[in-house]
């Protein structure tokens, strides 16, 4: 082949490559050589970081024990990451804005969708028995979502206790001394990112969580829970007299504590906003079990 003809062939081939790699349906930043088939449905698989000391449940053991955690129920929200999307939007109203909440099981509910850990798969499954949620694909494959999860223990809340604002979700709670409150915002783990090149890591962090990161890199939501209540340990020791055996009978342990609080379980701005703010004017004696 003559040199001039070789140039023509190379230029023509380059044009075909560039034309084939442009995806106008994806609104985010896309590498020119990135090709992801966005026509195949991609389920959301959520896991819990079980290799951490952060999972000690108050009075019920440790969440490192997968069997014990299987009996616990957590609540999950997922919202479109775009700034103009409101957390007040229910999933049944617009599932591109709110990908996950309880309204898919109970249409009027403002709560997160209830899930438990499946010891067969190691993933969170819906308590209702519903099928997994799927990331939007096709023309909507570029949508990115934030995932939030929280644990209420045995605290009962109703719709009036749940305040879904534009930028946050706050739940009115009352503790009785035996409860545990935890929350988490899913963030890609070092293990999920370690196999990626530096540029891909940056893009994966920006796009998590989405069809693109799940499909291309297998990055799915992983929750590492943070405790919001203090744990009190008491040691009772009898006086020592040589040759005598003494017994200690504890009838009750009682502490004065704040008990009414506002539990922020989802927030657009900072992960540190996920916390419980107690009302200092409401205190009572809590008898601990």
């Amino acid at each position: 082949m003559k040199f001039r003809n070789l140039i023509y062939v190379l230029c023509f081939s380059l044009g075909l490559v560039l034309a084939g790699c442009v995806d106008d349906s994806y609104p985010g930043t896309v590498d020119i050589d990135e090709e992801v088939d966005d026509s195949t449905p991609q389920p959301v698989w959520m896991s819990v970081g079980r290799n951490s000391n952060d999972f000690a449940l108050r009075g019920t053991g440790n969440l490192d024990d997968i069997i014990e955690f299987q009996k616990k129920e957590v609540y999950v929200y997922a919202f479109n990451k775009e700034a103009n999307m409101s957390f007040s939007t229910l999933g049944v109203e617009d599932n591109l804005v709110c990908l996950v909440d309880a309204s898919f099981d109970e249409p009027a509910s403002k709560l997160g969708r209830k899930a438990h850990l499946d010891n067969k798969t190691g993933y969170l499954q819906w308590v209702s028995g519903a099928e997994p949620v799927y990331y939007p694909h096709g023309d909507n494959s570029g949508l990115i979502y934030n995932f939030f999860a929280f644990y209420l223990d045995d605290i009962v809340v109703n719709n009036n206790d749940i305040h879904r604002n534009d930028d946050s979700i706050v739940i009115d709670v009352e503790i009785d001394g035996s409860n545990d409150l935890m929350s988490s915002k899913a963030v890609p783990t070092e293990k999920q990112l370690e196999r990626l090149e530096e540029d891909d890591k940056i893009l994966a962090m920006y796009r998590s969580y989405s069809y693109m990161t799940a499909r291309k890199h297998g990055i799915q939501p992983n929750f590492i829970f943070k405790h919001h209540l203090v744990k009190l340990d008491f040691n009772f020791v009898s006086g020592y007299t040589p040759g005598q055996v003494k017994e200690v009978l504890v009838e009750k342990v009682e502490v004065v504590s704040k008990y009414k609080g506002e539990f922020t379980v989802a927030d657009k701005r900072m992960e540190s906003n996920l916390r419980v703010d107690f009302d200092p004017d409401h205190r009572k004696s809590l008898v601990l079990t």
Side-chain angles (χ1 to χ4, degrees):
M1 182 181 294
K2 292 183 180 180
F3 182 73
R4 180 165 44 179
N5 291 339
L6 179 61
I7 292 176
Y8 291 156
V9 172
L10 288 175
C11 290
F12 178 70
S13 300
L14 181 60
L16 288 178
V17 171
L18 291 175
C21 294
V22 174
D23 181 3
D24 292 331
S25 68
Y26 183 66
T29 304
V30 182
D31 291 343
I32 198 67
D33 63 345
E34 181 175 57
E35 292 184 4
V36 176
D37 177 11
D38 61 9
S39 63
T40 304
Q42 173 64 53
V44 177
W45 297 114
M46 300 172 294
S47 60
V48 175
R50 295 183 297 275
N51 298 319
S52 169
N53 292 327
D54 291 336
F55 295 102
L57 274 170
R58 305 293 183 259
T60 58
N62 197 299
L63 282 189
D64 286 339
D65 184 345
I66 189 172
I67 302 302
E68 182 64 32
F69 188 38
Q70 185 188 9
K71 302 173 185 177
K72 310 301 177 186
E73 294 176 349
V74 298
Y75 298 87
V76 181
Y77 288 112
F79 291 98
N80 193 311
K81 207 171 183 178
E82 292 183 16
N84 62 340
M85 300 299 177
S86 174
F87 284 7
S88 65
T89 303
L90 297 180
V92 290
E93 297 170 346
D94 191 334
N95 63 353
L96 295 181
V97 174
C98 179
L99 186 65
V100 176
D101 74 355
S103 71
F104 293 104
D105 299 321
E106 303 174 36
S109 178
K110 297 187 289 184
L111 194 58
R113 197 170 193 181
K114 192 181 294 187
H116 63 85
L117 192 65
D118 189 319
N119 67 332
K120 294 180 181 179
T121 65
Y123 293 110
L124 289 174
Q125 306 285 349
W126 306 125
V127 170
S128 66
E131 293 297 314
V133 170
Y134 285 80
Y135 291 102
H137 62 288
D139 290 343
N140 296 311
S141 63
L143 298 180
I144 305 168
Y145 291 86
N146 281 325
F147 283 78
F148 303 91
F150 57 99
Y151 177 70
L152 289 173
D153 207 338
D154 58 356
I155 297 175
V156 178
V157 298
N158 57 52
N159 254 9
N160 292 331
D161 299 322
I162 305 165
H163 309 285
R164 289 178 59 161
N165 310 307
D166 287 339
D167 297 330
S168 66
I169 299 177
V170 180
I171 300 177
D172 297 330
V173 293
E174 291 190 22
I175 62 171
D176 62 11
S178 65
N179 316 113
D180 197 10
L181 293 173
M182 297 188 294
S183 68
S184 174
K185 178 182 179 182
V187 176
T189 64
E190 291 183 9
K191 187 174 181 179
Q192 289 175 323
L193 298 172
E194 65 184 5
R195 65 183 181 274
L196 305 182
E197 298 294 333
E198 197 60 35
D199 288 347
D200 283 336
K201 284 184 182 180
I202 295 172
L203 287 173
M205 288 293 292
Y206 170 75
R207 294 175 180 167
S208 294
Y209 294 91
S210 67
Y211 181 93
M212 303 295 282
T213 51
R215 190 76 180 160
K216 185 177 181 182
H217 302 302
I219 295 178
Q220 296 272 18
N222 179 76
F223 296 112
I224 297 177
F225 285 90
K226 176 183 178 182
H227 286 292
H228 297 290
L229 300 180
V230 67
K231 181 180 180 182
L232 300 177
D233 291 318
F234 298 90
N235 293 317
F236 300 92
V237 182
S238 65
Y240 176 69
T241 302
Q244 294 185 11
V245 176
K246 294 186 177 181
E247 295 181 353
V248 175
L249 174 63
V250 179
E251 294 185 347
K252 70 176 179 178
V253 178
E254 188 173 358
V255 298
V256 176
S257 171
K258 292 175 283 189
Y259 69 97
K260 280 191 174 184
E262 296 181 340
F263 187 13
T264 301
V265 298
D267 190 276
K268 282 185 183 180
R269 294 153 292 188
M270 292 185 295
E271 189 176 350
S272 60
N273 288 340
L274 305 182
R275 62 178 186 263
V276 184
D277 293 309
F278 284 100
D279 185 346
D281 295 330
H282 286 83
R283 297 173 183 265
K284 68 179 181 180
S285 294
L286 304 179
V287 178
L288 307 184
T289 56

